[in-house]
Amino acid sequence: MSERTGVGTRDFLLPDLGEGLSEAEIVEWRVAVGDVVTVDQSVVEVETAKAVVDVPCPYAGRVVALHGAAGEVRPVGQPLITIAPLDGGGTPDPHATYREEERAGSGNVLIGYGTGHGGAGRRRRRPRLALAPEPGAPAPAAPGPALAAGSPARTDPLTVAATSVPAGSADRTPDPARRGDPASAPLVISPIVRRLAREQGIDLASVRGTGPGGVIRRADVETALAAPAARLAAVPDAPEAHVGLVPAGDGDVVVPLTGIRKVIADKLSRSRREIPEVTIWVDVDATGLLETRAAINAATPDAPVSILALLARVCLSGLRRYPQLNARVDTEGQRIVQSAGVHLGIAAQTDRGLVVPVLRDAQRLTTGELAAALAETTAAARAGTLPPARLTGGTFTLNNYGVFGVDGSTPIINHPEAALLGVGRIVDKPWVVDGQLAVRKVTQLSLTFDHRVCDGGVAGGFLRHVADCVERPALLIANV
């Protein structure tokens, strides 16, 4: 996305970094006014409601303006950076504009969630520490429609303290106890590292940097998390130390509804508002399923299969028989769209909140491939390394809330899907087997479905098929 804004100059507009995302927050500029950039060079790191993403610029030339400051939210389709052609048409050296943090390896990220260690709530907007200017580089500009060379720097106390570091040195986070001695302050380059330390309550003065020249990297902060003495004591007059929490009087705490929490709230509200959902459930004896899993893993110890993978296989079998549930309602077109492939969503709880990574065309995978894909996907979701494209486009969701120790739920459908299967914990319960009371492994299955796509007969048939396969896995094998 671009538009021309003058003789030879081009504005690179903030693109849609995920399906339907309307804005992104600037985390860190990778370049400054006056820098030379090459085609597809990363120029800024932004945070959307789904991920932290490095944004590459499609143009080569010299940076003449940065539109927005760190911490500012920019809408999709608005100017992000303005590029002018090089004088004389020379070819820029792609290595000339590498920032110090890339050379120091201080925790920068590629496409994905970034560090993934932040809490689910987003912090309040607050001034960020400015990077110390490199020799000959222009001073950072004040936030506004565009940052141009020669603009005055911000004068808040944090910025003044940060920019008082001698030019050419790494950025140093000021420690209140040593504010008068910048040379003794901890060496921190990456805003991501500073943010992680702040959110986890880590005093950077107590962290030993292992990067070049003693630079504190993300790994150093993560190591310090294991040391309780490194955590800062709560400061009564500094409520922003509690990330995203704002005192509201009488001891109340207000959590700003921003970032991923806002996306979750909007999506679930829309689901409840638009979808006439119904939940049905059944208790099932999962003893046979557990025995089948044990037999499979004994036969293939190098490729273990999880209960989640077997449940996913059961869902795929049910959707093959009842494709009405693998669908969505197109309200504008007044039609129901049944998907040709099953793009299976797996609800996963992460530090950033609830996300639903998707396995596309899951019906094409073997049970072993399903197990491997599920393990990789859920691990990547919790680590925060999945790109936004992996978090959208699902057609049916499997939610194993039994891992939280609960028996049942009436889950909300992941809009615009038409159904979701929830699985409770598997526990020992009395069960009648062949007329005799026995102790069996019992779980509860809950199906929430959109009553517009089908009636109770279809939904009940699907849930009964799933329950029968859980109780008698031979039925699953016969239908694969």
Side-chain angles (χ1 to χ4, degrees), residues 362-416:
Q363 80 282 357
R364 297 180 180 177
L365 304 178
T366 66
T367 301
E369 290 170 341
L370 264 178
L374 284 169
E376 178 271 330
T377 299
T378 54
R382 294 189 177 104
T385 57
L386 285 178
R390 290 290 309 277
L391 298 170
T392 56
T395 59
F396 184 92
T397 293
L398 175 60
N399 186 359
N400 180 21
Y401 44 72
V403 296
F404 302 116
V406 298
D407 295 325
S409 171
T410 56
I412 299 176
I413 294 173
N414 185 28
H415 186 278

Side-chain angles (χ1 to χ4, degrees), residues 311-328 337-346 359 361-364 370 394-398 417-421 447-450 453-454 458-459 461-467 469 476 479-480:
L311 290 170
R313 173 57 61 200
V314 171
C315 286
L316 293 170
S317 174
L319 293 173
R320 181 180 179 184
R321 179 172 291 195
Y322 299 97
Q324 298 94 324
L325 294 171
N326 189 48
R328 62 181 175 84
V337 180
Q338 291 185 13
S339 298
V342 180
H343 308 316
L344 186 64
I346 304 296
L359 302 182
D361 293 313
Q363 80 282 357
R364 297 180 180 177
L370 264 178
T395 59
F396 184 92
T397 293
L398 175 60
E417 299 170 15
L420 178 152
L421 182 73
L447 176 70
T448 299
F449 67 97
D450 186 339
V453 303
C454 68
V458 170
F462 172 86
L463 185 59
R464 190 64 257 169
H465 175 76
V466 170
C469 289
L476 174 61
N479 285 279
V480 171

Side-chain angles (χ1 to χ4, degrees), residues 26-357:
I26 296 173
V27 176
E28 177 190 8
W29 284 104
R30 303 290 196 199
V31 295
V33 171
D35 284 354
V36 174
V37 297
T38 58
V39 173
D40 289 337
Q41 177 180 333
S42 175
V43 295
V44 66
E45 183 184 70
V46 300
E47 182 176 7
T48 71
K50 294 179 180 290
V52 173
V53 181
D54 270 334
V55 180
C57 178
Y59 310 118
R62 190 174 304 279
V63 178
V64 296
L66 305 178
H67 300 274
E72 182 178 335
V73 175
R74 298 292 294 169
V76 167
Q78 293 300 306
L80 190 62
I81 185 172
T82 301
I83 303 294
L86 292 174
D87 294 336
T91 301
D93 178 4
H95 300 288
T97 58
Y98 278 6
R99 302 269 311 260
E100 183 66 27
E101 57 253 50
E102 275 84 3
R103 295 196 293 271
S106 60
N108 289 298
V109 295
L110 298 175
I111 299 299
Y113 273 105
T115 62
H117 292 282
R122 292 274 294 280
R123 66 195 181 283
R124 293 179 64 190
R125 298 281 182 260
R126 62 182 299 179
R128 293 172 179 260
L129 297 177
L131 290 175
E134 296 177 356
L147 300 182
S151 299
R154 286 182 290 177
T155 57
D156 59 88
L158 287 176
T159 304
V160 171
T163 55
S164 65
V165 181
S169 65
D171 179 39
R172 299 173 182 267
T173 299
D175 180 6
R178 296 182 286 181
R179 196 174 295 273
D181 182 14
S184 64
L187 286 167
V188 184
I189 294 174
S190 172
I192 295 294
V193 174
R194 289 196 298 272
R195 181 175 65 182
L196 175 61
R198 182 169 61 248
E199 292 176 350
Q200 297 295 338
I202 294 296
D203 182 1
L204 288 171
S206 67
V207 179
R208 184 177 67 86
T210 60
V215 169
I216 296 176
R217 303 188 297 179
R218 182 176 38 149
D220 302 326
V221 175
E222 292 171 345
T223 300
L225 286 175
R231 293 187 173 274
L232 290 172
V235 181
D237 59 351
E240 289 181 348
H242 303 279
V243 180
L245 305 184
V246 184
D250 297 328
D252 293 343
V253 171
V254 176
V255 180
L257 198 57
T258 58
I260 193 169
R261 283 253 59 90
K262 183 177 186 299
V263 171
I264 293 172
D266 291 345
K267 192 160 193 175
L268 296 183
S269 296
R270 183 178 182 184
S271 179
R272 275 288 165 90
R273 185 170 59 248
E274 295 185 5
I275 299 177
E277 61 185 24
V278 179
T279 300
I280 57 177
W281 59 89
V282 63
D283 291 339
V284 297
D285 178 3
T287 306
L289 189 70
L290 293 176
E291 292 173 348
T292 298
R293 179 205 178 199
I296 292 174
N297 290 344
T300 58
D302 294 334
V305 171
S306 64
I307 286 294
L308 187 63
L310 293 179
L311 290 170
R313 173 57 61 200
V314 171
C315 286
L316 293 170
S317 174
L319 293 173
R320 181 180 179 184
R321 179 172 291 195
Y322 299 97
Q324 298 94 324
L325 294 171
N326 189 48
R328 62 181 175 84
V329 175
D330 178 6
T331 54
E332 292 185 1
Q334 290 295 297
R335 58 183 182 172
I336 296 172
V337 180
Q338 291 185 13
S339 298
V342 180
H343 308 316
L344 186 64
I346 304 296
Q349 188 67 45
T350 73
D351 289 338
R352 286 173 54 86
L354 180 66
V355 297
V356 186

